[in-house]
Amino acid sequence: MRANRSRVITIATFLLVVAGLAGGLTALLRTTRGDTAGTGRPAPRGSAQIDLAHAVADYTSRFGPDQGYLRPGRTDREAIAAGIGLLLDGHRKQAEQQLQQRDFTLRTLVDRVSGRHYAEVADRTDAAATPRGWGRVYIDLDHRPSWSVQVPHPVFDRGTEQLGVRVLRGSPGGILVIAGAHRKSGVGNSADVAHRRDTVFHAICAELARRGMPGIQLHGFAASSAPGYDVVTSTGAGSAGRQDGRDLADALRTHGFRVCQAWARSCPLEGLTNMQGRVADDDHVAFLHVEFSPTTRAGGQPAERAAAAVADITRDWAKRPVAD
C-alpha cells in the first residue's frame, strides 16, 4: 500500500514539474515570436491580418488637391500627440480613450509580409465625405519603438508612402508617420505639413523628437530639379545626424545611387526650412531629410535598394538607447 502511495506521489510530482516546464516554454516561445510587445504589453488577440503596403495604398488613394483639409486647433494637436505618448509608454487603454476624444481610432494589425504586430492610429473621418486629413501612424508593437520614418507629402511626392512602408519593415522598432492629405489640399499651404508647426503631423513628430527618437523624412524631387543625382541627403537645419547622413550616403552609393550630400556641397532641396528638422535640432536629435528621384521611388528594384540602404541606418538606430 505504501509503495502504491509513494508511486502516486512520484507521478503527481513528475506531472507538476512537466506542467511547470511547459508553462515556461510557452512563455519563452511567446516572447521569441513577438506575441509580447517590446514594452512588455501583450498584443491583443484577434488582430486583423493585412498587407501593410496595400492598406497604405488604399488609404492614400483618396488623396488629391481638391480633397480639402481642416486645420486642427492647438488642443487637438496636443491631445493626439499626448495619445501617441501614452501608447509609447505602455498605457494602451488611456491612449485609446485620449485618442477617441479627438475622433481617432486605435487597433492592432498583423502585417502578413513582415509578420509584425503594428498599432494603427487613424483619423476616424478618413472614410467620411469630408475628411479632416490629420494623418495616420503605425507603431511596431513587437519591439521597443526607437526611430521614425516620416512621409509628409504622400501622393504629391509620388511613391514616398510606399517607400515609407518598405523602410518601416526594414528594421525593428520603427514608427511610420504619414500625413493625412495631399500637399495642395486645404487653404494656402495649410496641408504642407513639412513647412508648418500647426499640424497633427508636426505635433506627433515633435513628440517623438522630444523622446530622443531619430527620424528620417522621405521626399521626392522632379528629375529636372537635381540632374545627375538619384538622391539628395541632408540633416535639415541641424547637424546632430551628420554622421548618420554620411553613413546613409555611403550605403546609398554602395547600392548604386548617385548622391548629393548637402553638408559637403551646394545641393538643391536641402530641407533647411523643414519644421520637423528644426524641432529635432532644438532637441539635439538626429534628423535626415532625404529627397529621392522619380525612378528611385517608383517601386521595384530601385525602391528595394533604397530601402535596404536606409535600413543600414535604422538598424543602428534601433540599437541605441531612447529616453523614457
Side-chain angles (χ1 to χ4, degrees), residues 217-306:
Q217 193 168 108
L218 310 180
H219 293 261
F221 65 84
S224 59
S225 298
Y229 293 106
D230 302 303
V231 188
V232 177
T233 59
S234 81
T235 55
S239 58
R242 188 63 54 82
Q243 186 56 54
D244 293 322
R246 293 191 183 99
D247 293 342
L248 175 60
D250 290 342
L252 287 163
R253 290 194 188 96
T254 299
H255 283 83
F257 295 106
R258 299 165 298 173
V259 184
C260 186
Q261 299 177 144
W263 55 84
R265 65 180 65 187
S266 178
C267 299
L269 308 165
E270 295 183 359
L272 298 177
T273 59
N274 184 282
M275 292 303 171
Q276 291 76 57
R278 289 186 176 185
V279 77
D281 182 46
D282 292 341
D283 289 316
H284 308 290
V285 174
F287 175 83
L288 299 179
H289 181 281
V290 189
E291 297 267 358
F292 293 94
S293 69
T295 302
T296 305
R297 52 190 158 87
Q301 284 299 315
E304 289 286 356
R305 289 189 287 112

Side-chain angles (χ1 to χ4, degrees), residues 178-202:
I178 309 176
H182 190 281
R183 180 179 183 175
K184 295 295 185 180
S185 62
V187 178
N189 75 332
S190 61
D192 183 2
V193 299
H195 298 100
R196 298 188 68 105
R197 291 179 180 264
D198 58 348
T199 68
V200 172
F201 180 92
H202 180 78

Side-chain angles (χ1 to χ4, degrees), residues 8 55 64 102 205 238 308:
V8 169
R102 302 296 162 176
C205 292

Side-chain angles (χ1 to χ4, degrees), residues 39-103:
T39 55
R41 304 184 309 276
R45 294 181 179 179
S47 303
Q49 297 272 341
I50 65 161
D51 182 320
L52 187 56
H54 291 169
V56 169
D58 180 64
Y59 169 55
T60 59
S61 65
R62 301 183 292 274
F63 290 8
D66 57 349
Q67 177 189 25
Y69 171 77
L70 179 64
R71 184 174 169 181
R74 180 176 179 177
T75 55
D76 291 317
R77 303 193 304 267
E78 292 178 350
I80 295 166
I84 296 295
L86 286 168
L87 185 57
L88 294 175
D89 288 336
H91 307 302
R92 185 183 178 97
K93 288 185 178 179
Q94 294 94 318
E96 190 167 16
Q97 293 171 355
Q98 174 90 355
L99 292 165
Q100 283 179 345
Q101 292 175 6
R102 302 296 162 176
D103 268 343

